């Protein structure tokens, strides 16, 4: 029997006949040797044929000459190609080679404008960037001096996100800039102020999440009402409450809830100033809550009356694409703005806690005014820390980063909270800044020297985008209809535009790239 091992032939006798003669054994060995010789000759013939075929193919191949083709086919100039010698420093040449620009953030999201370095489109979406792991916190800080175009950028970011199923909340709009935008997109702007019919009951239950049981909802409403009244009292008093004052509020609120299905603030104030005898066994409760009662009385019978002293005439509808609280009628009354913001934050928190509420932008315009109040600042900090849990993207809009220096004294808890808002925002957009603000801005945002030098020379609508460790310089672009709806200079330019006419583009200057 024969077998092949690595291409070689071997023969061996496994079983030999009993009593075989010597000449037969010799003949068998000779036959095996001949088989091996024939196999070796066949392999040599096969290798030779393959080599001859390769040589024939090589001889048949036509190669270009080493010097190239002759005549016009050479595609060369008659003389040698020469370039003038250029000499420069290694630092300068390192910045020009290898001529690369950022590839951008991808194509998923809303169109913002043009990347001025690469010339390509710039697209941004905080939820998409979080899903891809580019950022770990979806919060945004936007800063820019007056007239730089930051308000137009904020409005276009959230309005262009509406077709993607996002919603927008503006818990405080001191200048009323977002009111026409909310009406244009089918949302609602809640306008509050003295002389208006609108009233806001801080003790309303608010929006009930779809997954909360009756017992859980009752507990949440009680806790929210208690926290809200405490925050209102702290805002008016401008100091933290004492334990005795907290007790006075708790007992008065419980008594008011027992006497009415939906209590109103005057009921709680009356019970703080005149406690139920059943709750005041030692007759000291009225004295313990006297200051709190008189502080809250300002909201129902003092200089802040008319807004919180009755049942609500407006409701917070989280199903609308956009809801804005217009505070332009009370812009000069700082305590009233803080109270209204505290109430709207309580409304918003109940809607944000709904797991079926979807993804939302929360816009804090003129944030420096809102952050001056400790209770509001704590609420904002809590929402920023829970942004991923709620599925929201908070946006703080400043004029300049040094506005944070006005939030509390250096080393205080308020200053630490304000600084933590920057730390929890990995998307930082900086529009034009004055030269005297460059140092504080670069320090607060960790800008490089090159980025710092860019800020004073940025044009209208141009911004430096710092997204984690990546930088982009982007020219924001607006559609003519957006330009009309977002315009905040109509009074200064004496222009009148009708926002209700769908053919608004025919009545505005033909400047698609202009941002006001």
């Amino acid at each position: 029997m024969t077998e092949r091992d690595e291409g070689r032939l071997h023969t061996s006798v496994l079983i030999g006949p009993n009593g075989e003669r010597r000449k037969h054994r010799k003949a068998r060995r000779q036959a095996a040797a001949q088989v091996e010789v024939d196999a070796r000759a066949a392999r040599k013939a096969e290798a030779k044929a393959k080599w001859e075929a390769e040589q024939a193919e090589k001889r048949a191949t036509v190669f270009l000459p080493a010097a190239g083709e002759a005549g016009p086919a050479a595609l060369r100039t008659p003389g040698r190609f020469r370039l003038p010698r250029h000499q420069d420093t290694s630092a300068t040449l390192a910045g020009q080679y290898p001529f690369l620009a950022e590839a951008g953030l991808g194509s998923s999201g809303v169109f913002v404008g043009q990347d001025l370095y690469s010339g390509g489109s710039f697209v941004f979406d905080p939820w998409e960037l979080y899903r891809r792991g580019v950022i770990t916190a979806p919060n945004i800080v936007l800063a820019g001096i007056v007239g730089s175009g930051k308000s137009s950028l904020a409005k276009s970011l959230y309005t262009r996100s509406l077709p993607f199923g996002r919603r927008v909340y503006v818990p405080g709009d001191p200048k009323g800039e977002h009111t026409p935008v909310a009406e244009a997109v089918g949302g609602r702007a809640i306008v509050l102020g003295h002389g208006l019919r609108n009233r806001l009951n801080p003790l309303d239950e608010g929006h009930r999440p779809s997954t909360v049981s009756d017992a859980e909802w009752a507990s949440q409403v009680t806790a929210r009402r208690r926290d809200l009244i405490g925050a209102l009292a702290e805002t008016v008093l401008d100091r933290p409450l004492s334990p005795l004052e907290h007790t006075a509020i708790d007992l008065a609120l419980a008594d008011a809830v027992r006497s009415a299905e939906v209590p109103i603030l005057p009921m709680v104030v009356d019970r703080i100033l005149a406690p139920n005898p059943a709750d005041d066994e030692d007759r000291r409760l009225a004295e313990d809550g006297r200051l709190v009662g008189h502080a809250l009385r300002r909201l129902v019978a003092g200089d802040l009356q008319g807004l919180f002293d009755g049942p609500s005439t407006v409701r917070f509808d989280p199903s609308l694409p956009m809801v804005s609280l217009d505070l332009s009628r009370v812009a000069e009354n700082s305590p009233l703005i803080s109270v209204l913001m505290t109430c709207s934050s309580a409304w918003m928190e109940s809607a944000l806690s709904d797991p079926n509420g979807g993804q939302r932008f929360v816009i804090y315009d003129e944030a420096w005014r809102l952050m001056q109040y400790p209770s509001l600042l704590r609420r904002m900090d809590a929402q920023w820390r829970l942004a991923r849990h709620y599925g929201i993207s908070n946006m703080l809009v400043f004029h300049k980063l040094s506005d944070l220096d006005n939030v509390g004294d250096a080393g205080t808890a308020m200053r630490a909270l304000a600084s933590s808002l920057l730390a929890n925002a990995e998307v930082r957009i900086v529009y034009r800044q004055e030269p005297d603000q460059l140092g504080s801005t670069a320090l607060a945002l960790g800008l490089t020297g090159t980025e710092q030098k860019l800020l004073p020379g940025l044009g209208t609508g141009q911004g430096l985008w710092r997204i984690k460790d990546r930088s982009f310089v982007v020219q924001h672009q607006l559609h003519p209809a957006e330009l009309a709806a977002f315009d905040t200079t109509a009074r200064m330019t004496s222009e009148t535009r009708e926002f209700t006419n769908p053919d608004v583009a025919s009545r505005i200057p033909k400047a698609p790239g202009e941002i006001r």
Side-chain angles (χ1 to χ4, degrees):
M1 183 176 291
T2 63
E3 64 178 18
R4 293 184 180 275
D5 182 20
E6 297 182 357
R8 303 187 65 178
L9 181 65
H10 301 273
T11 61
S12 175
V13 179
L14 300 180
I15 301 175
N18 186 21
E20 183 182 18
R21 299 178 64 86
R22 180 173 178 272
K23 66 178 182 177
H24 292 160
R25 288 197 301 273
K26 182 177 180 182
R28 188 168 57 250
R29 286 194 295 269
Q30 291 176 348
Q34 186 61 41
V35 170
E36 185 176 358
V37 170
D38 294 341
R40 187 181 301 112
R43 289 197 300 272
K44 292 178 64 177
E46 181 181 357
K48 183 178 180 181
K50 182 178 180 181
W51 178 83
E52 290 177 349
E54 291 176 352
Q55 294 297 318
E57 182 181 2
K58 185 179 298 186
R59 289 190 297 269
T61 304
V62 178
F63 295 96
L64 291 175
E69 295 181 321
L75 300 177
R76 292 184 298 178
T77 58
R80 295 182 59 185
F81 181 66
R82 297 180 181 275
L83 287 176
R85 180 179 300 177
H86 178 77
Q87 183 175 357
D88 213 326
T89 64
S90 58
T92 302
L93 293 177
Q96 297 178 358
Y97 182 84
F99 311 105
L100 297 180
E102 262 280 14
L105 300 173
S107 59
S108 298
V110 300
F111 172 76
V112 176
Q114 183 184 31
D115 188 332
L116 295 182
Y117 283 158
S118 67
S121 299
F122 186 81
V123 177
F124 173 75
D125 185 280
W127 292 278
E128 174 65 18
L129 296 181
Y130 179 80
R131 185 188 66 81
R132 288 161 41 195
V134 177
I135 59 177
T136 59
N139 301 313
I140 305 170
V141 170
L142 172 58
I145 64 174
V146 176
S148 60
K150 66 181 184 304
S151 296
S152 296
L153 175 65
K155 295 170 186 175
S156 65
L157 280 180
Y158 66 67
T159 53
R160 294 176 186 181
S161 297
L162 295 177
F164 293 89
R166 280 57 182 271
R167 296 187 177 95
V168 183
Y169 298 157
V170 185
D173 183 10
K175 295 186 293 186
E177 291 185 3
H178 301 271
T179 296
V181 181
E183 296 171 351
V185 300
R188 183 178 185 183
I190 302 173
V191 184
L192 295 173
H194 292 297
L196 300 179
R197 298 178 57 186
N198 292 339
R199 277 181 169 76
L200 173 63
N201 180 14
L203 302 181
D204 277 340
E205 290 187 350
H207 173 72
R208 178 174 177 174
S210 56
T211 58
V212 176
S213 64
D214 293 340
E216 292 175 339
W217 178 239
S219 176
Q220 290 182 14
V221 170
T222 300
R224 186 179 302 116
R225 286 171 172 169
R226 184 188 303 115
D227 294 341
L228 180 57
I229 294 179
L232 292 175
E234 288 184 354
T235 301
V236 178
L237 288 172
D238 196 20
R239 64 168 176 81
L241 298 182
S242 67
L244 295 177
E245 291 170 333
H246 278 293
T247 300
I249 290 176
D250 291 344
L251 295 177
L253 177 61
D255 190 23
V257 172
R258 286 194 298 265
S259 60
E261 182 177 355
V262 180
I264 58 177
L265 194 56
M267 299 170 60
V268 178
V269 174
D270 292 341
R271 284 161 175 78
I272 293 177
L273 297 176
N276 190 333
D279 298 329
D280 190 13
E281 297 179 355
D282 56 0
R283 307 303 177 184
R284 300 180 58 181
L285 190 58
E287 180 63 24
D288 294 338
R290 184 173 63 87
L291 293 179
V292 171
H294 285 288
L296 294 175
R297 186 180 177 277
R298 289 184 62 188
L299 305 178
V300 299
D303 59 323
L304 304 181
Q305 67 176 338
L307 299 177
F308 312 99
D309 52 0
S312 295
T313 60
V314 293
R315 298 190 64 84
F316 182 86
D317 187 357
S319 64
L320 293 176
M322 181 174 178
V323 177
S324 175
L325 184 63
D326 190 336
L327 306 180
S328 59
R329 303 296 183 89
V330 294
E332 302 304 322
N333 193 330
S334 296
L336 186 53
I337 284 185
S338 64
V339 170
L340 288 171
M341 279 290 300
T342 302
C343 296
S344 67
S345 296
W347 267 359
M348 186 175 60
E349 287 168 3
S350 62
L352 294 180
S353 62
D354 188 353
N356 298 323
Q359 298 169 336
R360 290 147 288 196
F361 271 112
V362 181
I363 311 298
Y364 294 95
D365 205 350
E366 299 289 332
W368 63 273
R369 302 184 63 174
L370 310 177
M371 296 169 64
Q372 295 178 358
Y373 303 97
S375 59
L376 285 178
L377 186 56
R378 287 194 294 269
R379 286 178 178 269
M380 292 170 62
D381 181 67
Q383 290 175 11
W384 278 56
R385 294 179 184 275
L386 296 175
R388 293 178 297 177
H389 175 71
Y390 288 149
I392 65 176
S393 176
N394 299 287
M395 181 186 296
L396 283 184
V397 183
F398 292 94
H399 288 297
K400 50 186 181 297
L401 269 299
S402 61
D403 290 337
L404 294 178
D405 296 337
N406 299 325
V407 181
D409 298 327
T412 61
M414 287 187 62
R415 180 68 66 84
L417 285 178
S419 300
S420 70
L421 295 181
L422 284 181
N424 291 326
E426 294 185 350
V427 179
R428 302 167 180 185
I429 309 169
V430 189
Y431 274 45
R432 187 168 68 251
Q433 297 288 307
E434 296 295 349
D436 60 342
Q437 300 295 323
L438 298 182
S440 58
T441 302
L443 181 62
L445 301 182
L447 304 182
T448 64
T450 302
E451 293 169 340
Q452 180 179 344
K453 294 177 182 178
L454 283 173
L455 299 183
L458 293 175
T460 304
Q462 296 178 355
L464 171 65
W465 291 61
R466 279 292 302 270
I467 300 178
K468 210 165 185 179
D469 298 327
R470 302 169 66 182
S471 297
F472 307 87
V473 179
V474 181
Q475 172 67 62
H476 179 212
Q477 295 179 349
L478 285 174
H479 187 274
E482 289 180 315
L483 177 63
F486 300 164
D487 183 23
T488 60
T489 63
R491 291 187 179 182
M492 290 297 296
T493 57
S494 299
E495 294 179 2
T496 302
R497 293 183 176 137
E498 301 176 16
F499 297 103
T500 57
N501 192 329
D503 193 22
V504 69
S506 63
R507 296 191 304 279
I508 65 175
K510 302 301 182 180
E514 179 187 4
I515 300 177
R516 304 194 175 187

